C-alpha cells in the first residue's frame, strides 16, 4: 500500500542541498544580463484573458513569464451572518498558492500577508457604495510562482472585477522593481527576487494617475526611490493599456 | 404529465429562464421526455473534452483537463524518501485533491468543500488499485531511496463530473511525467545530476525516465433519474437529480471500480449495465483524446 495516512515518510527534493548557485551578477559589474535576457527596464510580456472560470461572476487569468495566476470574483452576495450592518459594500480577498507553485513543494504557504495587501490595493479603486450590505469576494490562486507574484495577482484581480461588472474608478495595474546592487530591475523573476537588496511595488490607477498602494522594503536611497517609482508608473501605464485591450477584445467577442 | 400543479400551468406563461429557476426539476423532465438536455446534448453524450500536457513548468509532470467547463489542473512533483522496511524496493504516490475557493461559489476560504475529501479518496483508491503504476518502478536504491510522487489535483472550475475530470487530469499528468536523472552523493543523499556536466557520479536511474503506465483507468459518471440515464452531468444537473453512478474501466474494458453513493433512485442491473456500456464508449473517446495529446507533445 502506498500513502498510508499518518505514516507519511519525510521526503526531500533532489534539487535542494546542492552547492550554492553562483550569484547572477558581480558587484560593480554593469554588464551582466538578466537570466531571461531582458533589459533592466523591460517587463515580461503580459498575457491576460477574462472569463477563465465559468462558475464565477467574473474571472481572469494572467501569465507573465512563468508566473501564472487565476482570479475569480463572486458576488456581490450576502455578507456573512456575523457581519455588522454596513452602508457600503465589503471586499473580501484571499490569495492562495498551489502546492506545486514554488520550486520546493508547499512553500507558497509563506505568503499569508498577500490577502490583506490585495485588499488594500483594490479597495481604493472600487465603488463600494454601489453594493451596500453585500460582499464581493476576490479569490486568487497562484498556479505557478515565477516572481513578482503579488503585482500580477493585483492586476489580474482588477480585470476579474471588471469582468464581473463591479463598478470601479479605474483598472488597477501593479508593477514591482527590485534593487540589485546598484541596478534597478523591473518586474523581477523568482531568481532575481531571491538576490534582491530591496524591492518596491507600486499599484496605481493608470488613467487617473493615482496610486492605491506603495510598498518598499530593504535598502533604498532617495534618488533610487524616485527612479523606481517613475519606472513603475510608466510600466503601469503600459500594463493598463494591455489590460484595457483584453477587456475590449472580450467585449467585442461577446457581441459577435 | 397531467399533474394539475402550479408549475404545469405556469410553464406556458413565464419566461424560460424564470421557469428553469423556479421549477428546475420540471424543466429538466420536460427536456428528458424529448430525450434531450438543456445544453442540447443527447442523454448519453459527454461534453467536449480537451487535455493539455505540461501546463506547469515547476512540476515534473502536469496536465490540464477540461470536460465542458469543468477544469482540473494536475501536477506531479517528485521527491525522495526512504522506503519502508516492508517494501524496500517500492516508491510511493501521495494523491491529494483540492477545491480552492476560486472554483465554485459554494467554496469559501477556511471552509473546504464537502466533495473534496470524497473525490480525493476515490482518486487515490482508483489510481493505486488500478495497477496503472508499478510502485517498484519508483525505486532508486533498494532499501535506501525511492521516489515519492506527490500528485496534486486542483479544481479550477467546478461544473459537475469532478471525479471524471480529476482522474483524467491525473492520468494525463502521469503520462507527461518525466523523472529527473539523479545520482547518489557522498552523504548518501539523492541529488540532481542533470545539466551540470559534473558526471563524477553515475546516475542511478539512467534508463528510468518515464514510468510505464499499465492499464489506464478512465471513468464516466451518470445520473439516474426515473428511467433516464444522463452521462457526464453538469453541476446544475447534479444539484437537481441526486443519484449518481460512477464507473471506472481500464483501457481493456475491465471494471476497476463502481461507485453508487446512495441517492433516491435504486439502480437495477439493467441500468448498471447501461452505465457500463456508456462508459465503455467513453473510454474509447478518452483514450483517443489522451493519445492525441501525447503525440502532440512529441511533435513539439
Amino acid at each position: 500500500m502506498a500513502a498510508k495516512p499518518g505514516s507519511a515518510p519525510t521526503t526531500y527534493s533532489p534539487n535542494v542541498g546542492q552547492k550554492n548557485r553562483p550569484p547572477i551578477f558581480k558587484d560593480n559589474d554593469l554588464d551582466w544580463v538578466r537570466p531571461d535576457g531582458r533589459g533592466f527596464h523591460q517587463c515580461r510580456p503580459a498575457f491576460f484573458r477574462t472569463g477563465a472560470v465559468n462558475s464565477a461572476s467574473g474571472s481572469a487569468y494572467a501569465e507573465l513569464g512563468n508566473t501564472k495566476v487565476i482570479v475569480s470574483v463572486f458576488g456581490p452576495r450576502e455578507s456573512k451572518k456575523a457581519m455588522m450592518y454596513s452602508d457600503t459594500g465589503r471586499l473580501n480577498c484571499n490569495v492562495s498558492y498551489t502546492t506545486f507553485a514554488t520550486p520546493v513543494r508547499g512553500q507558497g504557504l509563506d505568503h499569508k500577508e498577500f490577502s490583506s495587501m490585495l485588499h488594500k490595493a483594490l479597495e481604493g479603486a472600487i465603488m463600494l457604495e454601489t453594493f451596500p450590505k453585500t460582499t464581493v469576494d476576490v479569490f486568487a490562486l497562484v498556479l505557478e510562482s515565477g516572481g513578482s507574484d503579488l503585482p500580477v495577482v493585483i492586476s489580474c484581480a482588477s480585470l476579474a472585477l471588471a469582468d464581473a461588472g463591479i463598478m470601479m474608478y479605474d483598472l488597477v495595474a501593479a508593477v514591482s522593481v527590485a534593487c540589485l546592487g546598484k541596478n534597478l530591475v523591473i518586474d523581477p523573476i523568482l531568481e532575481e527576487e531571491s538576490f534582491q537588496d530591496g524591492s518596491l511595488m507600486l499599484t496605481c490607477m493608470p488613467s487617473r494617475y493615482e496610486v492605491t498602494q506603495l510598498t518598499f522594503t530593504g535598502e533604498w536611497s532617495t534618488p533610487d526611490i524616485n527612479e523606481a517609482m517613475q519606472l513603475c508608473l510608466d510600466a503601469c501605464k503600459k500594463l493598463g493599456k494591455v489590460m484595457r485591450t483584453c477587456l475590449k477584445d472580450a467585449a467585442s467577442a461577446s457581441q459577435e | 404529465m397531467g399533474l394539475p400543479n402550479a408549475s404545469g400551468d405556469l410553464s406556458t406563461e413565464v419566461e424560460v429562464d424564470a421557469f428553469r429557476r423556479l421549477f428546475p426539476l420540471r424543466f429538466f423532465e420536460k427536456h428528458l421526455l424529448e430525450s434531450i438536455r438543456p445544453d442540447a446534448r443527447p442523454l448519453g453524450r459527454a461534453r467536449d473534452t480537451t487535455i493539455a500536457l505540461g501546463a506547469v513548468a515547476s512540476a515534473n509532470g502536469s496536465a490540464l483537463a477540461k470536460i465542458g467547463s469543468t477544469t482540473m489542473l494536475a501536477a506531479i512533483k517528485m521527491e525522495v524518501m526512504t522506503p519502508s522496511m516492508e517494501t524496500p524496493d517500492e516508491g510511493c504516490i501521495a494523491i491529494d485533491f483540492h477545491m480552492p475557493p476560486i472554483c465554485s461559489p459554494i467554496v469559501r476560504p477556511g471552509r473546504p468543500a464537502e466533495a473534496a475529501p470524497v473525490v480525493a479518496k476515490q482518486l487515490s483508491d482508483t489510481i493505486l488499485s488500478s495497477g496503472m503504476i508499478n510502485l517498484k518502478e519508483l525505486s532508486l536504491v533498494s532499501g535506501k531511496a525511492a521516489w515519492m510522487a506527490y500528485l496534486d489535483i486542483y479544481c479550477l472550475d467546478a461544473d459537475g463530473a469532478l471525479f471524471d475530470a480529476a482522474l483524467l487530469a491525473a492520468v494525463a499528468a502521469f503520462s507527461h511525467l518525466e523523472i529527473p536523472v539523479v545520482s547518489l552523493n557522498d552523504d548518501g543523499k539523492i541529488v540532481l545530476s542533470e545539466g551540470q556536466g559534473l558526471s563524477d557520479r553515475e546516475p542511478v536511474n539512467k534508463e528510468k525516465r518515464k514510468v510505464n503506465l499499465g492499464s489506464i483507468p478512465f471513468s464516466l459518471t451518470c445520473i439516474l433519474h426515473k428511467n433516464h440515464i444522463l452521462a457526464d452531468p453538469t453541476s446544475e444537473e447534479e444539484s437537481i437529480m441526486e443519484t449518481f453512478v460512477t464507473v471506472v474501466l481500464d483501457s481493456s474494458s475491465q471494471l476497476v471500480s463502481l461507485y453508487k453513493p446512495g441517492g433516491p433512485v435504486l439502480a437495477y442491473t439493467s441500468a448498471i449495465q447501461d452505465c457500463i456500456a456508456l462508459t465503455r464508449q467513453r473510454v474509447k473517446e478518452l483514450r483517443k483524446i489522451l493519445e492525441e495529446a501525447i503525440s502532440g507533445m512529441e511533435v513539439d
Side-chain angles (χ1 to χ4, degrees):
Chain A
M1 274 301 292
K4 281 176 210 139
S7 66
T10 47
T11 59
Y12 60 91
S13 172
N15 53 1
V16 288
Q18 306 182 62
K19 60 185 169 58
N20 287 336
R21 277 183 298 181
I24 48 177
F25 72 101
K26 293 187 199 82
D27 283 326
N28 308 321
D29 180 5
L30 288 170
D31 293 332
W32 64 280
V33 280
R34 299 178 71 174
D36 50 4
R38 274 185 291 154
F40 289 180
H41 297 171
Q42 192 183 0
C43 291
R44 292 172 289 181
F47 173 81
F48 293 101
R49 179 68 52 88
T50 55
V53 180
N54 278 336
S55 47
S57 319
S59 61
Y61 170 80
E63 184 174 325
L64 277 85
N66 273 338
T67 308
K68 292 167 192 157
V69 170
I70 283 191
V71 180
S72 290
V73 170
F74 296 97
R77 59 185 179 183
E78 190 186 3
S79 296
K80 271 189 214 141
K81 294 279 186 299
M83 292 280 201
M84 292 280 289
Y85 172 81
S86 159
D87 274 345
T88 61
R90 284 195 172 85
L91 183 68
N92 175 33
C93 298
N94 182 272
V95 180
S96 52
Y97 275 68
T98 59
T99 52
F100 45 77
T102 44
V104 178
R105 189 177 177 275
Q107 266 186 344
L109 302 169
D110 302 341
H111 301 291
K112 294 259 187 258
E113 77 281 13
F114 280 11
S115 299
S116 71
M117 289 177 74
L118 175 62
H119 183 274
K120 292 285 169 215
L122 292 174
E123 74 180 346
I126 299 174
M127 301 183 194
L128 292 171
E129 64 281 4
T130 57
F131 48 96
K133 296 186 273 185
T134 51
T135 303
V136 166
D137 289 301
V138 179
F139 298 141
L141 180 68
V142 179
L143 302 178
E144 201 177 332
S145 157
S148 305
D149 297 341
L150 185 59
V152 178
V153 166
I154 293 171
S155 310
C156 188
S158 85
L159 264 188
L161 282 164
D163 186 46
I166 308 291
M167 302 270 269
M168 288 189 287
Y169 297 107
D170 190 9
L171 287 170
V172 181
V175 172
S176 64
V177 165
C179 178
L180 284 157
K182 287 180 176 156
N183 302 303
L184 296 179
V185 296
I186 199 162
D187 194 21
I189 59 168
L190 212 54
E191 197 181 347
E192 290 163 339
E193 278 185 339
S194 63
F195 290 110
Q196 71 192 6
D197 303 307
S199 96
L200 179 144
M201 183 185 74
L202 184 137
T203 77
C204 73
M205 297 189 266
S207 8
R208 292 165 66 100
Y209 209 59
E210 285 176 347
V211 173
T212 64
Q213 190 176 50
L214 173 66
T215 56
F216 41 96
T217 54
E219 253 175 68
W220 285 93
S221 63
T222 314
D224 274 355
I225 289 180
N226 286 331
E227 194 194 339
M229 285 203 299
Q230 201 51 52
L231 275 174
C232 281
L233 281 168
D234 293 345
C236 282
K237 202 147 217 174
K238 283 179 195 153
L239 192 64
K241 271 189 198 137
V242 177
M243 291 160 67
R244 204 166 285 271
T245 320
C246 162
L247 281 178
K248 275 186 191 157
D249 289 351
S252 60
S254 67
Q255 270 169 14
E256 277 159 20
Chain B
M1 306 288 283
L3 292 171
N5 63 14
S7 63
D9 304 324
L10 273 171
S11 64
T12 49
E13 291 163 25
V14 297
E15 282 174 41
V16 178
D17 270 354
F19 186 74
R20 184 177 195 160
R21 284 184 166 227
L22 290 170
F23 308 104
L25 190 57
R26 299 272 304 171
F27 177 80
F28 269 92
E29 282 178 343
K30 274 178 184 289
H31 281 84
L32 294 184
L33 287 175
E34 311 286 331
S35 296
I36 192 93
R37 291 152 79 168
D39 55 6
R41 275 188 288 161
L43 302 194
R45 175 150 341 137
R47 290 166 288 176
D48 285 344
T49 305
T50 55
I51 299 175
L53 298 180
V56 182
S58 55
N60 300 102
S62 60
L64 182 85
K66 272 187 95 132
I67 299 182
S69 17
T70 300
T71 311
M72 295 284 171
L73 179 67
I76 303 170
K77 271 199 179 253
M78 303 296 275
E79 294 202 351
V80 181
M81 62 157 193
T82 314
S84 67
M85 299 289 276
E86 302 97 69
T87 53
D89 52 358
E90 281 188 7
C92 203
I93 303 171
I95 298 163
D96 213 351
F97 176 71
H98 311 258
M99 287 181 76
I102 65 157
C103 78
S104 157
I106 57 166
V107 189
R108 304 214 178 172
R111 238 192 307 164
E114 277 176 28
V118 180
V119 175
K121 179 84 177 90
Q122 261 181 291
L123 278 173
S124 67
D125 284 353
T126 306
I127 292 172
L128 297 177
S129 69
S130 67
M132 174 173 71
I133 307 233
N134 183 356
L135 293 177
K136 289 205 163 59
E137 282 195 38
L138 298 178
S139 175
L140 283 166
V141 182
S142 180
K144 284 199 176 134
W147 288 115
M148 167 70 111
Y150 286 103
L151 167 61
D152 289 279
I153 302 149
Y154 279 82
C155 178
L156 304 183
D157 195 349
D159 188 21
L162 299 184
F163 173 75
D164 298 354
L167 181 64
L168 184 62
V171 163
F174 270 114
S175 66
H176 176 253
L177 175 64
E178 205 162 278
I179 298 176
V181 178
V182 290
S183 52
L184 202 60
N185 74 1
D186 298 332
D187 310 330
K189 286 227 170 194
I190 296 288
V191 291
L192 280 192
S193 58
E194 230 168 1
Q196 293 189 26
L198 307 166
S199 54
D200 51 342
R201 305 242 157 221
E202 194 60 19
V204 289
N205 64 339
K206 228 175 190 170
E207 291 94 41
K208 291 192 217 159
R209 302 301 312 282
K210 281 266 176 195
V211 246
N212 286 315
L213 298 187
S215 52
I216 300 174
F218 293 106
S219 73
L220 179 69
T221 300
C222 297
I223 283 186
L224 301 184
H225 182 72
K226 301 207 169 137
N227 46 8
H228 305 292
I229 298 176
L230 288 80
D232 184 27
T234 62
S235 61
E236 190 188 5
E237 288 165 339
E238 282 183 351
S239 66
I240 296 162
M241 296 166 281
E242 291 169 327
T243 313
F244 313 117
V245 176
T246 302
V247 181
V248 186
L249 298 176
D250 68 14
S251 20
S252 47
S253 282
Q254 301 233 48
L255 185 65
V256 177
S257 124
L258 181 87
Y259 184 64
K260 180 185 179 294
V265 178
L266 302 173
Y268 290 100
T269 324
S270 62
I272 297 289
Q273 276 169 347
D274 289 348
C275 288
I276 293 178
L278 282 172
T279 311
R280 201 171 287 151
Q281 273 179 18
R282 177 70 173 154
V283 167
K284 278 186 204 142
E285 282 172 38
L286 290 176
R287 252 174 71 185
K288 204 168 150 235
I289 293 168
L290 182 62
E291 276 163 15
E292 276 168 9
I294 294 170
S295 62
M297 276 300 279
E298 281 159 3
V299 170
D300 291 346

